Amino acid sequence: MKLLDGKALSARIKDEIAEQVAQIKAQGGNVPHLAAVLVGDDPASQSYVKSKVNSCHRCGFESTLIKKDDGISESELLDIVADLNDNPDIDGFIVQLPLPQHIDESKITLAIDHRKDVDGFHPINVGRMAQGLPSYLPATPFGILQMLERAEIETSGKHCVVVGRSNIVGTPISILLSRKASPGNCTVTLTHSRTKDIGAVIREGDIVIAAIGIPHFIDASMIKEGAVVIDVGINRVEDESRKRGYRLVGDVHFDEVAEKCSFITPVPGGVGPMTVTSLLMNTLKASQKEIYA
Ligand code: GUN
């Protein structure tokens, strides 16, 4: 079994991005500027946004963090989005999800100018992605593609089983891996909460992508010998032995599955760090007008 070390790979990619930004600065070009909007005090969201801002600094990007308490109204948040859309200094921005119940996430997503939608969540970017047109790819699927590519894992003709059909991970990665591209050219099965005998379906996978958000959902009995296992889950489980009272585990029972598969991503330190580098790559593209003029 080989470990797909997302922490090490993302550090390497960040060094590459920092080098490109240094060149842009030396040539007097447009330095990438990412803005992030964080609503409320969800600890996981706070930690993700902190990591995004820190990564911007590390790569020489400019960054702006807009923090609002969870009492913010939908229309106030829409005003912030409109300001960011109109602000020529901001190349791209994200509104961290989830949002409080009283705010319609899809309304916010639709309000973001697709040319600044470095999360790749706007239907224009999703539609362009589905048709293989240049677009901002959503961060987690983009990170998974990077991992597969850099580890030189063959995907063409493989059966990929995706577990979970979220808009952020399961649905887009199933589209991307089925596309005529590299990585891609997979035969994809998208499984979800209504899939019958899900274990038997997962066991058919040469590549398994777990993005269901249930700790240790996939055990060794569900994995084919030699499969590639990508664990997107980042679940907090209580652990009194830890100072902070919890630890992070994936959707995959790592210890069991690691003995059976050819490649596996750890949690933490697998897909998670890659999502941040994807966001940086999208923001770099936005600043250089690579996708949209
Ligand atoms: N919440 C979980 N993942 C993401 C992401 O990639 N982008 C945003 N904006 N929110 C998230």
Side-chain angles (χ1 to χ4, degrees), residues 4 144-161 173 176-188 206-209 228 230 263:
L4 291 168
I144 294 170
L145 294 186
Q146 291 282 321
M147 280 185 131
L148 293 170
E149 189 173 13
R150 300 250 184 164
E152 297 181 349
I153 292 170
E154 182 59 83
T155 56
S156 182
K158 304 289 180 183
H159 184 186
C160 175
V161 177
I173 194 65
L176 287 164
L177 282 175
S178 63
R179 261 178 18 185
K180 193 170 186 173
S182 179
N185 283 319
C186 286
T187 304
V188 176
D206 302 310
I207 300 170
V208 173
I209 300 184
V228 174
I230 309 286
F263 288 90

Side-chain angles (χ1 to χ4, degrees), residues 66 72 115 125 140 157 280 284 292:
I66 300 170
I72 190 175
R115 291 166 300 185
N125 281 312
T140 304
L280 296 174
L284 180 58
Y292 303 108

Side-chain angles (χ1 to χ4, degrees), residues 45 48 52 94-98 119 121 139-140 168 275:
S45 291
Y48 296 148
K52 289 169 186 179
I94 64 156
V95 178
Q96 186 68 26
L97 305 179
D119 255 333
F121 291 168
T140 304
I168 294 182
T275 65

Side-chain angles (χ1 to χ4, degrees), residues 223-279:
I223 293 293
K224 176 158 81 176
E225 196 81 40
V228 174
V229 179
I230 309 286
D231 189 355
V232 182
I234 303 178
N235 308 293
R236 289 181 179 210
V237 297
E238 270 184 42
D239 186 342
E240 307 239 312
S241 72
R242 303 287 174 103
K243 216 164 106 190
R244 56 189 183 180
Y246 69 89
R247 71 194 152 92
L248 297 177
V249 302
D251 293 351
V252 175
H253 209 301
F254 183 92
D255 295 343
E256 285 184 11
V257 170
E259 289 180 13
K260 236 177 149 181
C261 60
S262 57
F263 288 90
I264 189 166
T265 61
V267 177
V271 176
M274 295 300 297
T275 65
V276 181
T277 58
S278 304
L279 179 66

